Amino acid sequence: PPNGLGIWGNCRAMNMVDQADVTIDNCVITSQNWGALGVDDIDDGTLTVKDSDIIIEEQGYGAYAIGKCVDMFDNCTFDIKYGVVGYAAAGSGSEILLVNGTIANSLGYYGIVTHQSFNGTNSEIVVDGQGTALNGKYGGIIAKGRGTNITVSDGAVVTATDGPIIRAQLNDDTGAGSMDGTEVVNVDLTSTTLEGDIIQGMGTEGSSTETSTMNVVMTSATLNGDISTAKLTLKISDGNISFDNI
């Protein structure tokens, strides 16, 4: 896998390329490492998964959405031992939707990460419906140097045991300096109760995302936590990149 993902492996359980519409219904998708449901540079496609289990046995991601691709998970379960439930990456129209009671657990790393925008188009992250939950460790939803529209609604929840539920940050991916992000993160919380913090840390002095903004709108929602701006710095230890709040 690309070094920026921070995972190992040599094979994905499924991989979409070019143009495709794939439906997976009542299945178990398992990968030892790297990725369960991969997508590479889709020009126009959909991945619809219903009533299914997505499992990473060691380390990797559950699903990717690259380019103009919509990933929708309806009443599914993610069990990610170490890694990320889903990535939304470069290109227009990349969307990840967790709906209708989907339970997505990545209790060793992050929930959903969106990154690597090449054309200034926002990605779409939706967690919707009573019983739907996205559970991470160091963060629930992470926007890395990319404009994002985030919606948590109708009783759905996002949790993080050791980090913010939503965070915008600088992009630490390989080649991130060439990206063209919109630098705007929109967060819409509707009819939900969340425990945790929302942090805007994408813009720091001297960075390419110095003018980035975060817009948070709450409608019939409760947030037991802080909405704040933090300066984030990179720390490199033993070849691994991590972020510190200071």
Side-chain angles (χ1 to χ4, degrees):
N3 182 62
L5 301 186
I7 56 177
W8 298 94
N10 57 12
C11 187
R12 286 161 284 190
M14 187 206 77
N15 197 36
M16 294 169 57
V17 296
D18 197 14
Q19 294 181 334
D21 293 300
V22 174
T23 299
I24 297 173
D25 192 354
N26 195 26
C27 293
V28 176
I29 304 100
T30 302
S31 181
Q32 181 179 0
N33 290 299
W34 193 347
L37 299 170
V39 171
D40 275 334
D41 200 16
I42 288 289
D43 182 57
D44 191 6
T46 60
L47 172 61
T48 303
V49 186
K50 301 178 180 180
D51 304 323
S52 296
D53 297 333
I54 301 98
I55 300 166
I56 295 293
E57 296 177 345
E58 293 187 21
Q59 54 178 312
Y61 61 79
Y64 233 114
I66 300 178
K68 192 177 181 182
C69 184
V70 178
D71 292 5
M72 183 178 76
F73 299 91
D74 183 334
N75 191 36
C76 292
T77 300
F78 285 84
D79 183 8
I80 312 298
K81 183 174 182 180
Y82 178 85
V84 173
V85 168
Y87 286 95
S92 62
S94 57
E95 302 181 30
I96 296 181
L97 298 83
L98 310 181
V99 301
N100 194 25
T102 290
I103 304 295
N105 293 323
S106 180
L107 301 180
Y109 201 37
Y110 295 131
I112 292 177
V113 176
T114 178
H115 63 149
Q116 294 188 340
S117 175
F118 287 96
N119 59 8
T121 302
N122 277 20
S123 59
E124 302 280 343
I125 307 298
V126 175
V127 185
D128 177 77
Q130 191 69 39
T132 301
L134 173 64
N135 304 309
K137 181 175 176 63
Y138 301 117
I141 299 173
I142 309 296
K144 298 170 65 173
R146 178 171 189 182
T148 312
N149 300 326
I150 299 169
T151 301
V152 183
S153 56
D154 296 333
V157 297
V158 176
T159 72
T161 57
D162 296 314
I165 54 176
I166 298 172
R167 183 175 75 196
Q169 67 172 59
L170 295 174
N171 196 334
D172 60 343
D173 295 344
T174 302
S178 63
M179 307 305 170
D180 176 24
T182 66
E183 304 173 4
V184 177
V185 176
N186 301 305
V187 180
D188 184 355
L189 308 179
T190 303
S191 301
T192 185
T193 299
L194 302 179
E195 303 276 347
D197 300 329
I198 297 175
I199 297 177
Q200 157 64 328
M202 190 182 295
T204 62
E205 184 178 355
S207 76
S208 61
T209 56
E210 193 169 345
T211 60
S212 62
T213 59
M214 177 182 283
N215 304 311
V216 180
V217 176
M218 298 177 61
T219 306
S220 301
T222 301
L223 174 66
N224 297 317
D226 295 327
I227 300 174
S228 63
T229 299
K231 181 180 178 182
L232 300 175
T233 58
L234 283 170
K235 179 176 69 175
I236 301 177
S237 176
D238 297 328
N240 297 315
I241 300 176
S242 62
F243 283 89
D244 283 342
N245 279 329
I246 62 172

